[in-house]
Amino acid sequence: CMNYMLPLSYAWGNFSVLAVGIWAIVQRDSLDAIMMFLAGLLLSVLTDIIHISIFYPSHDFLSDVKRFSIGMAIFSLLLKPVSCYLVYQMYRERGGE
């Protein structure tokens, strides 16, 4: 998000998942909140893959700032399956099936 290389839909998607995640943490007894957070994380994995693959710059136009930005986006994408697993464990602890 810091280099404007990826479109605004990337930032809005990730920030909206973050907002639902905060809601899921605050509402400890709500299964709907945690399910929406898990669904949002899974959907954001798919959209992040699409955004990164479409908007990845060619090697000629890759400055250090762009390289760092895309590296952080890829690192965030790699951490999302771990987050999905942890959110699923929270769902099971709250009484989900």
Side-chain angles (χ1 to χ4, degrees):
C1 292
M2 61 185 255
N3 197 15
Y4 304 109
M5 184 174 48
L6 296 171
L8 282 177
S9 59
Y10 175 80
W12 278 104
N14 284 316
F15 290 142
S16 62
V17 169
L18 178 66
V20 173
I22 291 171
W23 174 50
I25 290 171
V26 170
Q27 295 266 330
R28 294 214 177 258
D29 57 343
S30 176
L31 283 176
D32 293 336
I34 200 77
M35 277 305 295
M36 286 182 62
F37 183 44
L38 183 59
L41 273 175
L42 291 172
L43 184 65
S44 72
V45 168
L46 178 68
T47 58
D48 286 358
I49 291 170
I50 292 170
H51 280 115
I52 292 171
S53 64
I54 289 176
F55 293 101
Y56 192 83
S58 66
H59 185 65
D60 299 337
F61 301 107
L62 200 59
S63 66
D64 290 338
V65 175
K66 286 183 181 180
R67 185 176 299 135
F68 179 76
S69 296
I70 203 73
M72 289 295 108
I74 292 170
F75 185 65
S76 171
L77 178 62
L78 290 175
L79 285 179
K80 281 187 183 180
V82 175
S83 299
C84 289
Y85 175 74
L86 294 174
V87 169
Y88 180 71
Q89 291 300 323
M90 282 176 49
Y91 171 73
R92 303 254 327 202
E93 288 175 3
R94 292 184 184 185
E97 297 175 2

